[in-house]
Amino acid sequence: MNTDLDELLRSLRVWDPEVTELPGFDPAGAPPEPLPLFERWFAQAVAAGEREPHTMSLATSDEEGHPDVRIVMLHGADASGWSFATHAGSRKGRHLAAHPHAALAFYWPALGRQVRVRGPVTSAPPEQARADLHARSTGALAAALTGRQSEVLNSLEELTRASQEAWDRARREPEADVPTWTLYRLRPTEVEFFQGDPRRRHVRLRYHRTGDGIWSHELLWP
């Protein structure tokens, strides 16, 4: 395998017009609010065969304002916001406690689409976090029960033992409580929809929520 990074980068092409067909996007038909358009694009990403369309980048900032980013799962999106979950004591949990604002980014390469969301973040009530966790798989509960997210790990053997104990408990107690597990909701103030174009005539539609809660939208240069 070629390991020359520069050569590999030069060999890659994005949305080559000779081999790529991307869907069009007419912003004139966009709804007045971003959520219906997100739901439509998400459904189209699923139909296009995107393997994990619900994964997204989550950007936060630490106590000193330095940015950090990682991939997490979308747990839902409705009028109250875009939802994700983690332990309150994890790195991202600590970041959100210090600076309760974040940004999300979805990328669906089969369609050449991105969605970017930013706004303040709040914690859902504990009972909603428990319901969200227990509606997921046994593996998700086991991962939550393993805990200690973002702490220093002494060895992979230690992780294996803790994980096996958590799996055993998750099977015995499917309603086991994980007090640190927190459901977060990002209530967007800005949502951008990006439709790629092989000729680089990308369409960018940005929604912005005004102070009275009304959405407006505008086009951006690519």
Side-chain angles (χ1 to χ4, degrees), residues 6-28:
D6 289 337
E7 183 177 343
L8 285 172
L9 288 171
R10 288 192 296 271
S11 71
L12 298 175
R13 295 293 180 269
V14 178
W15 307 328
D16 186 339
E18 296 183 2
V19 297
T20 303
E21 291 186 16
L22 298 179
F25 172 46
D26 182 2

Side-chain angles (χ1 to χ4, degrees), residues 75-91:
H75 285 218
D78 54 29
S80 63
W82 271 250
S83 300
F84 58 93
T86 188
H87 289 282
S90 68
R91 176 180 289 186

